[in-house]
Amino acid sequence: MYYLLQEKGKNRYRPLPIFGHKEVAATFHSVRGTQIPDTIYHVVNDFKLINQNGDSVSLSKYGSNILILSLFYTKGDANGAGATTRAMKGFNETYQHNKAVTFVGISIDPETDKPDVLAGYAKTLSAKAGKWDLLTGDSTQLSTLIKKDCP
């Protein structure tokens, strides 16, 4: 039975997709005698932003949690931002008791979306800080984070 499972068995699980830049490394690992090159995946640099409670939040705060990230702004529904926010609200309701999943919304309008504005917006979405952080910060830092770190 062990032989059949090891040699003939198939993994029927689909792996999660990994988005972003990836490159082939110079190192290899071996599977059943076959040399397979290792892959280096895109890594998001650490950041410090402000959440809806006015607390400083960094990427390292989330540890090994699964992060579901979205971009939003509190004014209007142009360019599908409202649809994205509604989808995030649905995900939040579905996974609100799952401690391994955390939601992060990054404002694309930091001039308007200050922590006090985000606090009011978080109330309308039922977004609790720590489970669903709505983040804002310096426009230069946000631009770098959105364009380079989260392609």
Side-chain angles (χ1 to χ4, degrees):
M1 184 69 142
Y2 176 79
Y3 170 77
L4 290 174
L5 288 175
Q6 283 294 102
E7 296 300 319
K8 305 296 181 191
K10 293 188 181 190
N11 182 354
R12 301 215 190 287
Y13 298 102
R14 290 186 348 187
L16 292 174
I18 297 175
F19 298 102
H21 179 72
K22 56 186 171 187
E23 59 186 71
V24 178
T27 58
F28 294 87
H29 65 279
S30 180
V31 175
R32 296 185 184 158
T34 303
Q35 292 280 331
I36 299 173
D38 292 327
T39 305
I40 300 172
Y41 293 100
H42 175 75
V43 176
V44 175
N45 293 319
D46 201 9
F47 57 78
K48 278 200 175 186
L49 298 173
I50 308 295
N51 74 0
Q52 65 263 41
N53 291 347
D55 299 329
S56 181
V57 176
S58 66
L59 182 62
S60 58
K61 170 198 180 251
Y62 300 111
S64 62
N65 281 11
I66 298 168
L67 289 182
I68 298 177
L69 185 124
S70 70
L71 303 175
F72 76 97
Y73 52 93
T74 58
K75 295 188 305 184
D77 188 16
N79 300 322
T84 302
T85 303
R86 286 190 297 279
M88 289 292 282
K89 187 174 181 179
F91 290 141
N92 183 43
E93 291 170 3
T94 303
Y95 294 103
Q96 65 185 344
H97 299 295
N98 188 333
K99 293 179 181 173
V101 178
T102 305
F103 302 96
V104 176
I106 297 177
S107 172
I108 59 174
D109 185 12
E111 300 301 321
T112 304
D113 296 340
K114 303 293 183 197
D116 57 331
V117 174
L118 293 181
Y121 193 59
K123 279 186 180 179
T124 64
L125 297 174
S126 303
K128 294 180 183 168
K131 182 64 177 174
W132 186 0
D133 285 321
L134 302 178
L135 304 178
T136 189
D138 177 56
S139 61
T140 306
Q141 182 184 14
L142 287 174
S143 177
T144 302
L145 177 67
I146 292 167
K147 291 179 181 175
K148 290 186 180 177
D149 288 341
C150 302

